[in-house]
């Protein structure tokens, strides 16, 4: 048995089988490259689903984390700490908002958003007790907690986990007529991914997000943008909503906010909305801890320069060009995405998304399939141009019969 096989067998024996990873066992990583336990190198074209926007082992982020490790790492929110105010102030400013509620994982931030908009509905909008409704989109991915999977349309994510949390209305993504019909006087929020990542990097029709913005404003409903995967540079802007000139009432952030080092998530909104909370009404032991704040502050500083967004836009343009060329020769049947983020559908004669991902792995390129023929490509924004070109050329080469 190889070292790789031994690691995988041990993992299979002692971990719940909630994932089906590619058979690679990573030992170290740097920038856009990972090295496995047998010394083979792989180009990472997934970047932890955007959690690694700034690459593996990013020096600025590592230094920020190390410095904070030596100072103080955890206080709990029972006490103040000297990184907290700066984190909240600077994140709010980056978002053009007023207040921040920090959590850890993405799904916790979505849970927090759900609680916030319900409370806002009862306290500010005046929705009758227990009647608040939230409109969401089909094929969404907002995380894995019981409430969040209650409004998933993915049978694998939902089966056997009921009873489900009520209060959600699901409409097809991109369908404005259905959205308009679903919004009632008890609707407190519309919760959407501005680009649906897990669904295969689905970009909604042009004009959809602005129309949802207009509708929600007109009906006194909060527009919540889950930018956990699409935000913080990935699409070539700080937020995917910006491409459509849309400013939501609330951003839900995660993944890249933690710099690939620690889980950091947050809900960011106005004082009217996040001002609904009083002490004791919501919380998290680790949310907003000093280490998380120190890393996130560095992430925010890096995003303020705009250089990562610009790089995502520029490299993304080239990437889409190369992928479109593969579509023109019939090897891909669809190419979607924005910035350095693409979902492509592989023509059936070349095998499933999983098979193509495995063939790419054998050539030293790591991507991840999602739903049948689709593979998702989300390189770290720091990837070298030559590396990206090489990785994309490998995709072309594995798509041969
Ligand atoms: C990843 C993701 C989540 C969940 O984040 P976790 O940190 O895995 O809990 C929620 N929403 C979107 C859009 C995501 O991509």
């Amino acid at each position: 048995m190889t070292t790789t096989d031994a690691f995988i067998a041990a993992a299979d024996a002692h971990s719940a089988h909630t994932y089906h990873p590619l058979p690679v066992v990573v030992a170290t990583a740097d920038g856009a490259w990972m090295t496995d336990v047998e010394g083979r190198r792989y180009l990472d074209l997934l970047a932890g689903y955007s959690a690694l926007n700034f690459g593996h082992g990013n020096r600025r982020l590592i230094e920020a984390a190390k410095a904070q490790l030596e100072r103080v790492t955890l206080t709990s929110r029972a006490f103040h700490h000297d990184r907290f105010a700066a984190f909240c102030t600077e994140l709010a400013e980056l978002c053009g908002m007023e207040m921040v509620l920090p959590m850890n994982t993405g799904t916790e931030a979505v849970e927090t958003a759900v609680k916030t908009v319900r409370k806002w509905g009862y306290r500010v909008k005046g929705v009758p007790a227990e009647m608040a409704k939230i409109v969401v989109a089909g094929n969404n991915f907002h995380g894995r907690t019981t409430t969040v999977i209650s409004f998933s349309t993915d049978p694998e994510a939902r089966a056997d986990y009921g009873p489900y949390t009520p209060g959600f209305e699901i409409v097809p993504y991109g369908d404005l007529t259905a959205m308009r019909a679903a919004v009632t006087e008890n609707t407190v929020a519309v919760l959407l991914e501005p680009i649906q990542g897990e669904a295969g990097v689905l970009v909604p029709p042009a004009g959809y997000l602005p129309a949802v913005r207009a509708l929600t404003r007109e009906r006194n409903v909060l527009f919540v943008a889950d930018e956990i995967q699409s935000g913080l540079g990935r699409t070539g802007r700080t937020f995917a909503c910006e491409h459509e000139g849309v400013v939501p009432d609330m951003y839900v952030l995660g993944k890249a906010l933690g710099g690939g080092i620690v889980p950091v998530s947050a809900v960011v909104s106005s004082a009217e909305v996040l001002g609904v909370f009083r002490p004791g009404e919501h919380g998290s032991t680790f949310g907003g801890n000093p280490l998380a704040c120190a890393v996130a502050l560095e992430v925010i500083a890096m995003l303020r320069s705009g250089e990562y967004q610009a790089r995502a836009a520029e490299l993304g343009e080239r990437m889409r060009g190369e992928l479109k060329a593969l579509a023109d020769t019939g090897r891909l049947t669809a190419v979607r995405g924005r910035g350095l983020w693409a979902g492509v559908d592989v023509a059936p004669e070349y095998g499933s998304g999983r098979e193509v991902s495995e063939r790419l792995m054998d050539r030293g390129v790591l991507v991840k399939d999602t739903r049948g023929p689709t593979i998702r490509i989300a390189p770290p924004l720091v990837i070298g141009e030559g590396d990206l070109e090489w990785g994309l050329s490998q995709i072309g080469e594995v798509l041969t019969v």
Side-chain angles (χ1 to χ4, degrees), residues 19 49 104-108 110 141-144 148 193 195 197-198 226-230 252 254-255 263 265 376:
Y19 282 86
Y49 304 99
N104 310 283
T105 64
T107 194
E108 278 179 305
V110 174
F141 183 84
H142 296 289
R144 298 293 199 169
V148 171
E193 298 157 84
I195 295 175
E198 302 298 307
D226 179 346
E227 293 247 20
I228 290 171
Q229 192 166 163
S230 59
V252 186
K255 293 203 168 96
S265 67
R376 192 164 12 163

Side-chain angles (χ1 to χ4, degrees), residues 58-323:
N58 184 288
R59 287 326 303 171
R60 271 182 80 171
L61 296 173
I62 296 285
E63 291 309 322
K66 274 186 178 166
Q68 192 60 41
L69 278 171
E70 301 290 346
R71 295 178 72 233
V72 57
T73 52
L74 190 67
T75 55
S76 86
R77 294 286 306 278
F79 316 115
H80 289 275
H81 67 76
D82 66 2
R83 292 288 144 131
F84 188 71
F87 165 71
C88 295
T89 309
E90 292 183 28
L91 183 58
E93 193 189 290
L94 184 79
C95 297
M97 302 261 172
E98 294 165 329
M99 277 190 180
V100 169
L101 205 176
M103 299 297 286
N104 310 283
T105 64
T107 194
E108 278 179 305
V110 174
E111 287 273 350
T112 300
V114 167
K115 289 170 78 173
T116 308
V117 298
R118 283 180 169 184
K119 205 180 243 305
W120 174 86
Y122 298 126
R123 296 291 176 85
V124 179
K125 182 169 174 173
V127 171
E130 302 294 309
M131 298 293 279
K133 280 265 192 293
I134 298 171
V135 179
V136 300
N139 286 325
N140 68 70
F141 183 84
H142 296 289
R144 298 293 199 169
T145 53
T146 318
T147 287
V148 171
I149 57 95
S150 292
F151 56 88
S152 169
T153 55
D154 175 2
E156 278 184 36
R158 278 173 61 92
D160 299 331
Y161 298 138
Y164 303 107
T165 306
F168 299 94
E169 204 72 54
I170 304 172
V171 298
Y173 191 60
D175 183 340
L176 194 62
T177 311
M179 171 78 71
R180 201 168 267 131
V183 170
T184 69
E185 69 241 40
N186 291 337
T187 304
V188 293
V190 168
L191 165 64
L192 291 177
E193 298 157 84
I195 295 175
Q196 288 190 321
E198 302 298 307
V201 195
L202 299 186
V203 182
Y208 176 65
L209 296 174
V212 171
R213 175 66 284 188
L215 173 71
T216 48
R217 191 164 279 143
E218 179 192 306
R219 308 290 289 275
N220 193 23
V221 167
L222 300 175
F223 184 177
V224 180
D226 179 346
E227 293 247 20
I228 290 171
Q229 192 166 163
S230 59
L232 308 183
R234 173 57 53 192
T235 66
R237 303 280 181 91
T238 306
F239 300 105
C241 282
E242 288 175 49
H243 290 278
E244 295 270 342
V246 163
V247 179
D249 296 297
M250 178 184 288
Y251 287 114
V252 186
L253 303 175
K255 293 203 168 96
L257 191 56
I261 299 176
V262 279
V264 186
S265 67
V267 163
V268 190
S269 188
S270 63
E272 175 193 300
V273 173
L274 278 172
V276 297
F277 287 111
R278 295 286 164 268
E281 293 176 350
H282 189 57
S284 159
T285 302
F286 287 93
N289 69 72
L291 182 60
C293 288
V295 172
L297 272 167
E298 202 64 31
V299 166
I300 295 162
M302 288 160 75
L303 286 169
R304 253 196 319 255
S305 76
E307 65 191 282
Y308 296 92
Q309 295 89 323
R311 193 168 171 80
E314 190 192 313
L315 290 183
E317 199 64 46
R318 312 241 307 251
M319 177 170 87
R320 227 173 347 275
E322 309 250 336
L323 294 170

